[in-house]
Amino acid sequence: MVTEVFTLKYCDPHALREEKVEATDIIQFAWEGTVREVDACAECKKEHETRYEPLVDYSRPVKKRRATKKTGTKSAAPEDAADNGSSAEASTDA
């Protein structure tokens, strides 16, 4: 004979008020240097998002965007660099 066990997760903020509301989401927050999770209903999740900033992991490096390549010939790029340099020198002389 097989017995199925169903476990329900209840919303932790409601459980503090001794109410049993089924949890559908998870709230993540940082506490004492570690990331913690709390089971929450949709209402509590929405309230938490409006009250607090989203949790962002700054320990990972941010990816840099690649510079878009200019279309054109190879000889056009050095000329542009030369033009920019001469205009910069002219502005510093004034």
Side-chain angles (χ1 to χ4, degrees):
M1 183 167 157
V2 178
T3 305
E4 293 184 25
V5 178
F6 295 100
T7 56
L8 293 177
K9 292 184 180 181
Y10 292 107
C11 178
D12 292 334
H14 280 99
L16 292 173
R17 293 176 261 165
E18 297 181 4
E19 298 174 5
K20 288 190 175 185
V21 177
E22 187 176 352
T24 56
D25 291 318
I26 295 175
I27 296 174
Q28 289 186 339
F29 61 96
W31 186 263
E32 296 179 355
T34 58
V35 176
R36 313 255 174 141
E37 292 183 346
V38 173
D39 296 324
C41 63
E43 178 185 329
C44 291
K45 171 90 173 181
K46 191 180 294 184
E47 180 181 335
H48 182 269
E49 288 175 350
T50 58
R51 185 177 286 178
Y52 301 105
E53 292 181 20
L55 187 61
V56 179
D57 185 11
Y58 291 108
S59 64
R60 295 184 180 187
V62 177
K63 291 184 179 180
K64 295 181 182 177
R65 291 186 171 218
R66 292 184 181 177
T68 57
K69 293 183 179 180
K70 294 182 180 178
T71 58
T73 61
K74 292 181 182 179
S75 63
E79 291 173 6
D80 291 341
D83 291 340
N84 291 339
S86 62
S87 64
E89 290 174 6
S91 63
T92 56
D93 292 339

